[in-house]
Amino acid sequence: MTGPGDCHGQDTALTGALGYVRRHDPDGAERLEKLLKRKDVLVTGNSYGERMTERQFSLVFDPLLARAIERSRILESLGVEAASVPELARRLGIAPGAVFGHLKELSRRDLVEISGYEDRDALYRRK
């Protein structure tokens, strides 16, 4: 459980995480930063009186940040060498289905491509 004195530590961790994402996926970091800029409006309420609690915002934002970090780790790994979904899953400790989903998204955004095949597995590399 965190107390009032832990807020600075959370801000530092968030800044570090966003910096990591920004290094590997600037567009992904930009989307997260836009959402963070809207946090005050979402928490204090809009003109219709609708508002989110801090907890509700965290329930939305934290998983988005976690997925952005996973995608950044994949991009970082593929920047070193091409790899298949099973290899990335083993190397990064991410479920193969999640790795494949991230690769689909990264491919759609033109950040990775298939560079060849090893047996029946596609080898992905960073563009």
Side-chain angles (χ1 to χ4, degrees):
M1 179 171 259
T2 61
D6 295 332
C7 185
H8 180 69
Q10 289 173 346
D11 289 345
T12 302
L14 177 60
T15 301
L18 283 173
Y20 177 74
V21 172
R22 192 177 305 108
R23 278 192 304 279
H24 299 286
D25 183 7
D27 292 337
E30 183 180 336
R31 286 194 304 270
L32 290 171
E33 289 164 346
K34 282 182 182 178
L35 179 57
L36 274 177
K37 287 177 185 174
R38 304 266 313 140
K39 180 180 179 182
D40 287 340
V41 172
L42 294 170
V43 171
T44 58
N46 61 21
S47 59
Y48 301 106
E50 302 166 325
R51 62 181 213 82
M52 296 178 99
T53 65
E54 290 281 341
R55 182 173 184 279
Q56 288 170 323
F57 184 84
S58 289
L59 287 171
V60 171
F61 185 79
D62 292 350
L64 294 173
L65 178 60
R67 286 194 295 274
I69 290 170
E70 285 182 343
R71 282 191 296 275
S72 294
R73 291 178 62 212
I74 290 169
L75 287 168
E76 181 178 40
S77 184
L78 293 177
V80 174
E81 68 178 316
S84 65
V85 169
E87 175 59 28
L88 285 168
R90 279 190 300 276
R91 191 183 306 165
L92 301 174
I94 302 171
V99 170
F100 183 71
H102 289 313
L103 287 170
K104 282 183 7 184
E105 170 67 14
L106 293 169
S107 179
R108 184 189 66 75
R109 292 175 41 212
D110 204 30
L111 296 173
V112 300
E113 65 185 355
I114 295 175
S115 65
Y117 291 87
E118 185 176 273
D119 296 326
R120 294 170 53 186
D121 293 323
L123 296 176
Y124 293 87
R125 71 172 177 201
R126 187 172 183 170
K127 284 187 164 184

